[in-house]
Amino acid sequence: MKVHLKALGCRLNEAELEQWSQEFRSAGHQIVPSAPDADVLVLNTCAVTSDASGKSRRLMHRLYRENPEARLVVSGCYATLQADEVAEAIGVDLVVPNTEKDRLPQTVMQRFELPLMPAMATEPGETPLFMRGRQRAFIKIQDGCRYRCTFCIVTVARGDERSRSETEIIAEINALQQQGAQEAVLTGVHVGGYGSDIGSSLYTLVQKILQETDIPRLRFASVEPWDLPDDFFALFSNPRLLPHMHLPLQSGADSILRRMARRCKTAEFASLVAEARRAVPGFNVTTDIIVGFPGETEAEWDETCAYVESVGFGHMHIFTYSAREGTKAARLPDPVPEPVKKQRSQVLHALGERMKQGFLQEQVGKSVPVLWEYARENPDGQRIYTGYTPNYYKVVVTVADNALLENRITQTRLHGVNVCDGVLQGSLENEI
Ligand code: SF4
């Protein structure tokens, strides 16, 4: 059978697609890059904002239009929160809620009586990871969250915390490495909570991955800035664990963090970042900030800007608050007027850009191993590759002889900053 997989939203959705493609392939089915060629279409939806739900709905309809003959399977947060609406939608043959998505391939094969053909599994072919133009493998380590941040619908859509076993995670990383992956990215909803339900911890898991796999690069996706095990940053003494963490702060004012029901206040957050930077000089911390949370006063806003400047971030994802139906925050009073939100977002973007340029300049002169991911051609026909440093700064290099660098790690001299694009310019030293 030919299966086409599509995901919207977060890296966890991408990681689930990775898992499913491995399972369909080991059952002898083929993963195809385009919907019209498929017998089964699988969509992993997102509902983090109302916009995201709208995008999921439109993509669901588009997949059906592109291939009305195929079986259409819809999973993910939108399909979980609006299960009836999705089940009644034209062309949808199966809805798999988040609590059952770890078994999605088996459910699909049973429901549609797809034959199991393990022999076919050995068929050579481009691995789904690279077929999707990706060099980094997102690995789901856990799902769900015990917390109830007032703006968050994810905790509602994904339910309680549940960790995958260490053995399963290590096996998946080894399988992906055998297929050529050079970097694994650990992802989940509340990564810091890993192991709380199976008598393990994030510390133990990372330690075991570094011991029981040879993956050259191990990275974290987004990690809530609490519940991290003691001595966590000692793990970064192993250079395979890359010195970058995305720690969502959301606001720099404790009064707002209280209204958000966030577990980490500004003082704890600052000491966490300081600990990371003590563990590895040049440790890059990036973050998320919500602008215009209900009731955000001018004073709270000034507090956020001053705090962000005092901590310093390599990059900030800045979200303008929009009420999400089904969350507590959507019922909070004193919405911030749109023009004020817009103006504050512009101020924070400018601050973010200034900080980023500062951190980029600090990288100049260093020699670091870069994993090259994709290429484009400049007007002169030269090939320009893009990759990331261990501490997650984007680097470009022009290769004269049209060399192929996809998925290769080279020692790279960082010799400048392209201020407009906010990327580092590098020159190749030697292959690693
Ligand atoms: S910790 Fe993260 S996933 Fe959990 S409720 Fe808060 S924002 Fe949502």
Side-chain angles (χ1 to χ4, degrees):
M1 280 290 166
K2 294 182 178 150
V3 182
H4 176 67
L5 301 164
K6 194 90 184 143
L8 285 174
C10 64
R11 292 179 165 175
L12 191 50
N13 269 11
E14 267 295 332
E16 285 153 351
L17 231 63
E18 205 49 63
Q19 236 178 294
W20 298 341
S21 61
Q22 300 284 335
E23 286 167 42
F24 277 121
R25 289 183 77 223
S26 50
H29 302 293
Q30 195 190 345
I31 307 297
V32 291
S34 62
D37 306 335
D39 306 301
V40 178
L41 304 165
V42 178
L43 173 60
N44 201 1
T45 61
C46 174
V48 73
T49 61
S50 315
D51 276 3
S53 293
K55 270 200 196 114
S56 297
R57 206 172 21 256
R58 289 190 293 279
L59 182 53
M60 182 176 77
H61 294 320
R62 198 188 85 209
L63 286 173
Y64 171 66
R65 282 197 307 277
E66 283 180 7
N67 189 346
E69 307 310 312
R71 305 290 177 89
L72 178 54
V73 180
V74 186
S75 185
C77 295
Y78 168 62
T80 302
L81 294 171
Q82 314 290 341
D84 299 342
E85 183 185 312
V86 173
E88 281 145 27
I90 185 170
V92 174
D93 297 286
L94 177 63
V95 177
V96 180
N98 280 340
T99 45
E100 293 159 28
K101 67 187 333 182
D102 284 348
R103 296 195 71 262
L104 182 142
Q106 293 92 322
T107 308
V108 168
M109 289 189 260
Q110 279 153 16
R111 175 69 67 87
F112 303 138
E113 293 161 0
L114 301 186
L116 271 179
M117 310 170 291
M120 296 282 287
T122 56
E123 287 297 311
E126 191 181 16
T127 61
L129 181 72
F130 302 131
M131 183 195 294
R132 289 192 302 206
R134 298 229 336 275
Q135 314 304 338
R136 274 177 287 141
F138 295 129
I139 310 290
K140 175 179 179 173
I141 64 170
Q142 66 84 245
D143 205 340
C145 178
R146 75 191 84 161
Y147 298 101
R148 294 287 176 273
C149 300
T150 57
F151 57 81
C152 180
I153 196 72
V154 178
T155 185
V156 180
R158 287 193 172 259
D160 293 334
E161 286 175 37
R162 45 211 189 277
S163 305
R164 290 178 72 199
S165 73
E166 296 160 356
T167 316
E168 219 186 319
I169 293 167
I170 288 166
E172 186 181 352
I173 293 174
N174 281 329
L176 284 162
Q177 201 214 343
Q178 265 142 35
Q179 291 167 27
Q182 304 242 46
E183 184 169 309
V185 183
L186 305 183
T187 183
V189 176
H190 181 38
V191 167
Y194 176 81
S196 58
D197 53 327
I198 57 170
S200 179
S201 75
L202 187 61
Y203 192 102
T204 309
L205 174 68
V206 171
Q207 220 174 20
K208 286 191 174 171
I209 292 173
L210 293 171
Q211 283 159 0
E212 298 173 25
T213 80
D214 296 326
I215 194 88
R217 295 161 69 109
L218 185 63
R219 201 183 276 292
F220 290 106
S222 184
V223 179
E224 296 293 1
W226 60 80
D227 286 349
L228 291 173
D230 295 344
D231 211 17
F232 174 71
F233 290 102
L235 289 163
F236 288 88
S237 60
N238 185 322
R240 292 167 57 209
L241 184 59
L242 304 180
H244 160 250
M245 284 187 82
H246 188 78
L247 302 171
L249 170 69
Q250 306 300 6
S251 173
D254 284 341
S255 48
I256 293 184
L257 292 174
R258 266 190 295 280
R259 295 205 295 280
M260 290 176 168
R262 297 288 284 170
R263 296 297 164 135
C264 180
K265 301 297 184 288
T266 54
E268 295 119 307
F269 190 94
S271 55
L272 197 66
V273 173
E275 215 185 319
R277 289 172 177 160
R278 266 196 310 279
V280 183
F283 194 114
N284 181 14
V285 176
T286 56
T287 197
D288 296 340
I289 302 279
I290 294 175
V291 171
F293 190 72
E296 185 181 72
T297 63
E298 211 44 59
E300 286 171 329
W301 174 242
D302 293 345
E303 236 182 292
T304 290
C305 291
Y307 180 81
V308 160
E309 184 129 32
S310 70
V311 171
F313 294 100
H315 186 73
M316 288 195 293
H317 294 164
I318 298 164
F319 302 92
T320 302
Y321 177 77
S322 62
R324 185 70 185 84
E325 198 201 322
T327 63
K328 271 200 192 135
R331 301 191 296 277
L332 286 176
D334 308 329
V336 176
E338 289 304 322
V340 175
K341 281 195 238 179
K342 196 158 174 244
Q343 185 264 341
R344 288 178 182 171
S345 175
Q346 285 162 351
V347 168
L348 201 57
H349 273 97
L351 172 58
E353 190 51 33
R354 200 155 36 80
M355 287 192 296
K356 181 176 181 174
Q357 293 292 341
F359 281 109
L360 287 174
Q361 287 301 339
E362 285 177 15
Q363 312 308 309
V364 174
K366 292 181 181 173
S367 171
V368 296
V370 170
L371 170 59
W372 300 104
E373 299 195 8
Y374 56 89
R376 61 181 168 82
E377 281 205 3
N378 68 9
D380 314 333
Q382 289 175 306
R383 184 168 294 170
I384 304 205
Y385 271 95
T386 298
Y388 286 86
T389 64
N391 54 359
Y392 206 56
Y393 290 106
K394 202 183 260 188
V395 192
V396 295
V397 69
T398 306
V399 289
D401 55 2
N402 287 344
L404 296 175
L405 288 183
E406 269 91 352
N407 201 35
R408 288 164 60 188
I409 302 175
T410 70
Q411 197 64 21
T412 304
R413 172 73 49 190
L414 307 175
H415 57 72
V417 176
N418 177 324
V419 174
C420 299
D421 300 346
V423 300
L424 291 158
Q425 288 157 328
S427 51
L428 303 181
E429 293 184 327
N430 57 300
E431 178 111 14
I432 294 180

